[in-house]
Amino acid sequence: MTSGDVTSGVELVVVAPDGATLEVLTLPHGADPEARLAAAGWYLVALLDAVRTDEVVQIRVQAERGQAVAALPEPAEQPSSGAGADGERPVPYQRVACYGVVIGDRRLLLTELSERVSGAAGSWNLPGGGLDPGEQPHDGLVREIWEETGHDVVRARLADVETRHWVGRSPGGRLEDFHAVRLIYRAQVAQVREPVVHDVGGSTARARWVSREEIPDYPIVPTVQRALTRIGWDRATGPTAVRP
């Protein structure tokens, strides 16, 4: 997982069945995509894909007209504090990252977060991470899965967009008003084999194929649980999840 760069913005592009663009909406810092669409009078039908144009990541969706809400709902997770010690102000930081739900031989590919990930070391996540400068989302997904597991992606489809918003310290110590925009893909790999972590010393300690029955024994992050629920590959019970 790379640290990822700061994009100049994220946009939601509503696309008609014939491919024509109906509306382009900016995703404000801290906002949820479905809430943003609803505020503009759109009801999300399907996610199509995500592309990068200059430094803007565009999430293309199909949507139907509905009744616009009066205002955007507050994000599910608000910054815990508006200032740090001695009046330190958090720096707004929007990070776009790509993650893959990779299932092979009825097992899920997971990665363990290393000591570099403050507050979540030892937890298990989907393989993925932040986009490099100028990188297309699909290319970032392919790169991250190879770096963290040694697997080659042969097919990927955008399945979900998850956002989180909080104030916290970066690995470098900077206080950040952090808005995570996570593009979740359903991905297939060329061959199921023993995972190998190529990005040694990064945010991934190890990778492993995990069966559905074994998942409750792993301290997974909320992104994993949400992704499995969205694609219907869910688990009935398990440990309390933690946030990366």
Side-chain angles (χ1 to χ4, degrees), residues 26-185:
T26 298
L27 183 68
H29 185 83
D32 174 80
E34 290 194 46
R36 179 68 181 98
L37 288 167
W42 293 102
Y43 174 77
L44 178 64
V45 174
L47 294 167
L48 299 178
D49 56 25
V51 297
R52 193 169 200 155
T53 303
D54 296 325
E55 290 307 309
V56 176
V57 173
Q58 293 186 329
I59 302 171
R60 300 173 71 250
V61 306
Q62 286 185 344
E64 295 179 351
R65 274 297 182 187
Q67 183 177 0
V69 298
L72 282 174
E74 292 295 327
E77 296 180 52
Q78 286 296 304
S80 59
S81 172
D86 300 322
E88 181 185 8
R89 305 297 299 181
V91 177
Y93 185 100
Q94 187 179 63
R95 178 179 185 261
V96 180
C98 298
Y99 296 87
V101 179
V102 182
I103 298 173
D105 294 341
R106 299 184 179 181
R107 294 178 297 169
L108 177 69
L109 188 58
L110 292 177
T111 58
E112 184 183 25
L113 299 175
S114 72
E115 295 296 330
R116 291 192 58 187
V117 185
S118 177
S123 301
W124 291 77
N125 195 11
L126 301 172
L131 295 177
D132 283 344
E135 188 173 43
Q136 288 292 335
H138 179 272
D139 294 342
L141 175 75
V142 172
R143 174 183 54 76
E144 287 285 348
I145 289 180
W146 185 85
E147 288 179 352
E148 296 185 351
T149 74
H151 285 77
D152 297 311
V153 173
V154 294
R155 188 175 294 106
R157 175 182 59 83
L158 185 62
D160 193 17
V161 179
E162 179 194 50
T163 58
R164 301 276 179 171
H165 185 208
W166 69 91
V167 161
R169 294 283 177 185
S170 71
R174 184 176 71 170
L175 184 66
E176 295 174 342
D177 176 359
F178 196 88
H179 183 207
V181 180
R182 298 167 182 158
L183 307 178
I184 312 297
Y185 290 80

